[in-house]
Amino acid sequence: MRRNGSDAPRCTRSTSSHPRPGALVAALSLVALTVAVLQTAVVPILGIIAEQLNASSVAVSWAVTANLLAAAASTPLIGRLADLHNKKHVLLGVLAVVLAGSVLAATTSALALLIVARVLQGVSYSLYPICVAILREELPADEVNGALAVLSGTLGFGGGVGLVVTGLLMDGAAGYHRVFWLTTGFVVVVIVAAVTAIPSRRSTATGTIDWWGAAGLATGLSALLLTITQGNSWGWSAPATIGSATLGVIVLVAWWAWERRRPHPLVSTEMLTRRPVLLTNLATVFVGMGLYFGFLGLTQFVQVDRATAGYGFSASVLHASLVYLLPGAMAGFVTATLSGRFIDRFGARPILVSGALAGIVGFLWLALAHSQPWQVIVAGIWTNAYISLAYGALPALVVAEVDGAETGVATSVNAIARTVGSSVAAALVAVLLGRAVAGTGLPAEHAFVVIFVGGAVTAGLAMVLIALSRSGIRKDVSPEAAVDSRAMNHEWG
């Protein structure tokens, strides 16, 4: 009855519940907020970094690319380590690496060292899967999805918070080091919260680490992400782009064949091809695309010089943050806070479908009506609500379909799917906005319209995939109940 890659009984959560579940959820939400802030805070200051370090924009873009490559390489492996070992120890180890990266970024004025610092910060992507695994281990079954929704919703609106805070810090002629000093202080607070509120519990799972599988997955994903993130600067038909894409595909195909033959693979291929998991991960790619279509598109649109281009609002970084981004971030926070109750009552799928409908409304609104500030602000609230609801529901769908011993690695794969989606969207935005109109040096208005329509399309695709992902389990809001149902079906099937 053991699934391919499952090394422990299906229900591995401790029978003893955490004595302070509220404190636990709050601490883990702070950890999730760290992931989101580190992901987006650097995006608005890339131009400032290039100017202050006297470097080209292509060279500085590696501060983002290296971060994504480190995330792709480390997240599945660290998720597996968390499944097999003490989750608190693994989480604190990751936070220590992230803190080292933040200190290095805050103190260096060399681009090479800044890129190294962003590599260290890239392991932060693995924090979220560890948090999910801790919640499943520590909370009663009927409380897991409500806590998951808060945790995941925090991850969703945290990206907006990162942009807003960056805008506040970088007003005037401030140095980019401010942002990294902020992340340093924040990570210290998170470490204190984690030490205080997260229990130390030995894992009951057994198994080994598939190091060759980890190396193959890291190499294949990194090659594909490198293609996506650097294709625009290299040229999409350049030998380097084609070679990187080819390498990625070949390595991932070989990795898949390797994993299928392993008794204890890094990632169970059977799990990945299970219909609900597969479709949920594909939907996550589209949600990740929507996140960056919204954040990047909206942020750059409102900063376009209206007098020159005939559209936009000539907003400074500070004005864009406070007026256009903050309302959406606050809406995302409220939505994330309430989403757990909605999911407990109605189920994860209906909530995600409703969120996707909100995203379609918001993105189409941005595409069709963006001449007045209030229109952009209201549309931004709709799109942020979509991201928070989607981020709250997606992990619940994944967790409901996997064994307890697979939680860390399964949610790691889901996190990578989100990263891939965000990377694709960022590359598309760069291509669309990189084509300047003669005479103005600014992108054409229709480029933003295409970006916002793309957000609506990806929200619609995510909605369709989630609607088709139902596995036949009667209730998708209880991971343990879902596990028991699958076990029973297997026993009687």
Side-chain angles (χ1 to χ4, degrees), residues 282-294 352 356 359-360 363 386-387 421 424-425 428 451-465:
L282 289 175
T284 302
V285 173
F286 291 122
V287 172
M289 292 179 69
L291 173 71
Y292 265 55
F293 280 143
L352 198 148
I360 293 171
F363 279 116
Y386 156 54
I387 296 300
V424 171
L428 290 173
I451 290 170
F452 297 140
V453 169
V457 170
T458 54
L461 291 172
M463 180 177 66
V464 171
L465 287 169

Side-chain angles (χ1 to χ4, degrees), residues 89-335:
H89 293 170
V90 177
L91 184 141
L92 290 175
V94 173
L95 284 173
V97 174
V98 173
L99 179 61
S102 296
V103 171
L104 178 58
T107 55
T108 186
S109 295
L111 180 58
L113 289 178
L114 177 61
I115 293 172
V116 171
R118 291 292 290 165
V119 168
L120 296 176
Q121 288 184 328
V123 302
S124 65
Y125 284 70
S126 64
L127 291 170
Y128 173 74
I130 301 173
C131 291
V132 174
I134 291 173
L135 283 180
R136 190 173 187 182
E137 185 175 70
E138 294 297 327
L139 297 184
D142 58 352
E143 296 180 13
V144 169
N145 277 328
L148 268 179
V150 174
L151 183 71
S152 307
T154 302
L155 183 67
F157 89 85
V161 171
L163 294 175
V164 171
V165 172
T166 299
L168 294 173
L169 287 175
M170 298 307 296
D171 185 38
Y176 74 87
H177 293 93
R178 280 189 181 185
V179 174
F180 295 112
W181 279 121
L182 173 69
T183 62
T184 299
F186 188 71
V187 172
V188 170
V189 172
V190 171
I191 290 175
V192 172
V195 170
T196 304
I198 298 175
S200 180
R201 196 183 301 280
R202 293 182 61 184
S203 174
T204 58
T206 59
T208 59
I209 300 295
D210 178 15
W211 294 103
W212 283 108
L217 183 58
T219 302
L221 287 175
S222 296
L224 288 184
L225 280 176
L226 192 63
T227 303
I228 295 169
T229 56
Q230 295 299 306
N232 192 44
S233 59
W234 288 349
W236 292 104
S237 59
T241 305
I242 296 174
S244 180
T246 303
L247 174 65
V249 171
I250 292 174
V251 171
L252 288 179
V253 169
W255 170 82
W256 186 272
W258 168 267
E259 292 293 283
R260 292 190 64 180
R261 295 195 301 267
R262 298 289 296 172
H264 301 300
L266 178 74
V267 182
S268 167
T269 56
E270 186 277 334
M271 176 192 71
L272 291 180
T273 55
R274 202 178 302 157
R275 177 188 176 92
V277 176
L278 175 62
L279 295 184
T280 299
N281 284 333
L282 289 175
T284 302
V285 173
F286 291 122
V287 172
M289 292 179 69
L291 173 71
Y292 265 55
F293 280 143
F295 285 159
L296 294 180
L298 184 61
T299 302
Q300 297 190 49
F301 177 84
V302 299
Q303 294 184 64
V304 171
D305 184 7
R306 193 181 188 94
T308 303
Y311 67 92
F313 300 104
S314 307
S316 65
V317 175
L318 178 62
H319 188 226
S321 299
L322 290 179
V323 176
Y324 296 100
L325 299 180
L326 184 58
M330 295 304 299
F333 174 77
V334 174
T335 305

Side-chain angles (χ1 to χ4, degrees), residues 48 54 83 87 137 190 205 230 249 254 277 346 400 428 432 435 445 469 493:
I48 296 174
N54 194 28
D83 283 336
K87 295 175 178 58
E137 185 175 70
V190 171
Q230 295 299 306
V249 171
V277 176
F346 301 108
L428 290 173
L432 290 168
R435 300 171 180 172
E445 184 177 3
S469 70

Side-chain angles (χ1 to χ4, degrees), residues 18 20-29 193 197-198:
H18 191 275
R20 296 181 297 159
L24 176 66
V25 174
L28 294 178
S29 295
I198 298 175

Side-chain angles (χ1 to χ4, degrees), residues 392-478:
L394 286 167
L397 295 175
V398 172
V399 169
E401 294 295 334
V402 301
D403 298 336
E406 295 176 321
T407 302
V409 73
T411 48
S412 294
V413 172
N414 188 253
I416 290 299
R418 185 170 59 247
T419 301
V420 170
S422 297
S423 301
V424 171
L428 290 173
V429 170
V431 170
L432 290 168
L433 300 186
R435 300 171 180 172
V437 175
T440 68
L442 297 171
E445 184 177 3
H446 71 78
F448 287 99
V449 173
V450 171
I451 290 170
F452 297 140
V453 169
V457 170
T458 54
L461 291 172
M463 180 177 66
V464 171
L465 287 169
I466 292 302
L468 295 175
S469 70
R470 190 174 300 277
S471 64
I473 296 172
R474 293 183 61 185
K475 189 175 182 181
D476 59 18
V477 297
S478 175

